[in-house]
Amino acid sequence: MTIPPPDAARLAALNEHHAFGLSEAELTEYAPAVAATLAASERVEELYAATAPSAPDRAWSQPADNPLGAWYVTTSIPGAAEGPLAGRTVAVKDNVAVAGVPMMNGSRTVEGFVPTRDATVVTRLLAAGATVAGKAVCEDLCFSGASFTSHPGPVRNPWDPARNAGGSSSGSAALVVTGAVDLAVGGDQGGSVRIPSAFCGGVGHKPTHGLVPYTGAFPIEQTIDHLGPITRTVADAAVMLTVLAGVDGLDPRQPTTLDSVDYTAALATPADGLRIGVVGQGFGTPVSDPGVDDAVRAAVETLRGAGLVAEDVSIPWHTDAMAVWNVIATEGAAFQMLDGNGYGMNSQGLYDPELIAHYAAGRIARGAELSKTVKLVGLSGRYTFEQGGGKYYAMARNLALELRKAYDDALSAYDVLVMPTLPYTARELLPLDAPLETYLPTALSMIGNTAPFDVSGHPAATVPAGLVDGLPAGLMIVGKRFDDATVLRVAHTFEQAVGGFPAPPALTTAGGRA
């Protein structure tokens, strides 16, 4: 493809954008030099075309049975004949690439894209014997904690179809909790593995930042991007995390080396005697439901009864954590997810040029169809970047180190920290044309306890603490960075102590879960 050189009007616009102060005569002088640089881009495109993979021929279809709106497309892609996940089915959140299968990322701006490469997590799941059963609906560009901004439609809660399933990994959680699949991949930048798991009554584990490769998933902001398991039991989360974890050499979010951990084997180590810090700032917030707080405190008592030691702890930084996350998730995401067309630049990771080009065109052609949450990110994030030149983002990233230290200090005295995953249970679904004053709180007001740990990078799992007025409430367990095993041990101990987690009523009347 030949790149047309910029005409005089385009050069003038570029001059104005960069405030170079070039005269018309100087721009005329620059024109041939600018045109000459385009040859390198054209040659790179030729070289890339010679090495780029082609999408495999994989069958997929529109879901025939989709009562909760949780499936985007269904497939049956078999994995290895043997392995720790042999015979298990998995749904893949639709921000994660499955080669040859359409990917929409819940957004009209991505609709029509078909990846040519499997994400690393998909490669690992297939190698472990799992069968990819399809792509699960997620929120529009994954920027919502509810489940009503997604295209092609909303995802409904298995406990009450009039309520939202949580986001952004909404379809993943709904499919797992209803038993449509055994396992699911979720993504988490502000709580998006844990939020739908808590609203739907499943297990969701956000790993330590960098433990699981993000390669092949649509980014929001590199410093808070996570992928993790959504399952029905902690044991399933442990075996899935064992498969997913480890360096792939393609993701700059990861350290250069990681010790291999058998998270399933770790569950056999008794958790009695472990120390729990109950974070006071995680309770009684302006949006908290007292019933949820009570359910989580009752869950702490259950852990005490199982032999763990629990004490109240104060972490004042937890209250300010949302200001730090808000700057990173608006200014950072406006820079990377919007202006950077998902991937941005200056990273040594594996890029997806085809997705970048497809989304770049779709974002301009269909930007009016983006969710109100994404539009808020673009307006606010771009404005603060223009006002400060990036200084607010830089401040927030520096303060993230202080936030991490505050949690690390607390975790020097305790093995895990606990608090409610979410301040309330699932709320009613909204229409896409709901007024902004209702739309934004429904989409974002639940993330006060989840989002801080995307910034700090600590592992955090949610398990059902119990039912509040017939709807699941979540207990969140947070651990030391790269000590995901202890988080899962405590979660497993709680699951064993309560005799397993409840299923939605429709499943219970049909015989429940295995």
Side-chain angles (χ1 to χ4, degrees), residues 341-390:
N341 293 315
Y343 282 76
M345 296 182 181
N346 309 119
S347 165
Q348 295 190 41
L350 184 71
Y351 289 78
D352 189 332
E354 293 81 14
L355 175 56
I356 292 168
H358 182 96
Y359 169 59
R363 187 171 63 83
I364 300 304
R366 308 192 73 169
E369 298 177 69
L370 285 166
S371 70
K372 295 179 182 181
T373 46
V374 173
K375 290 174 181 176
L376 175 65
V377 167
L379 294 171
S380 175
R382 181 65 195 181
Y383 179 73
T384 53
F385 176 79
E386 290 174 349
Q387 288 294 300

Side-chain angles (χ1 to χ4, degrees), residues 17 23 39 97 100 119 136 212 232 265 281-282 290 304 328 366 385 432 464 467:
H17 173 77
S23 67
V212 172
R232 284 176 269 178
Q281 287 80 5
R304 277 199 180 102
I328 293 168
R366 308 192 73 169
F385 176 79
L432 285 177
L467 299 180

Side-chain angles (χ1 to χ4, degrees), residues 236-279:
D236 278 352
V239 69
M240 193 173 172
L241 184 62
T242 303
V243 167
L244 298 179
V247 174
D248 73 351
L250 301 171
D251 182 4
R253 300 167 185 80
Q254 297 195 279
T256 54
T257 60
L258 280 170
D259 293 334
S260 178
V261 177
D262 185 338
Y263 296 100
T264 299
L267 298 186
T269 304
D272 56 296
L274 292 181
R275 294 176 60 81
I276 300 170
V278 183
V279 181

Side-chain angles (χ1 to χ4, degrees), residues 73-211:
V73 297
T74 54
T75 63
S76 184
I77 303 170
E82 298 180 353
L85 298 180
R88 312 300 296 279
T89 55
V90 61
V92 178
K93 182 178 182 180
D94 195 38
N95 72 328
V96 178
V98 177
V101 178
M103 172 179 171
M104 188 175 181
N105 198 16
S107 181
R108 297 296 188 197
T109 62
V110 185
E111 189 172 18
F113 179 69
V114 178
T116 58
R117 303 176 181 84
D118 283 333
T120 297
V121 293
V122 172
T123 300
R124 290 179 176 179
L125 289 166
L126 291 171
T131 294
V132 174
K135 304 296 295 295
V137 170
C138 61
E139 292 295 274
D140 192 338
L141 298 186
C142 298
F143 213 97
S144 167
S147 65
F148 69 97
T149 78
S150 50
H151 296 286
V155 178
R156 299 182 179 277
N157 192 298
W159 292 80
D160 180 353
R163 296 177 185 268
N164 81 73
S168 62
S169 309
S170 47
S172 294
L175 291 167
V176 165
V177 168
T178 57
V181 291
D182 299 312
L183 316 163
V185 176
D188 199 308
Q189 282 90 2
S192 292
V193 162
R194 293 159 288 161
I195 295 167
S197 297
F199 276 163
C200 292
V203 175
H205 183 74
K206 181 201 78 68
T208 302
H209 187 254
L211 179 64

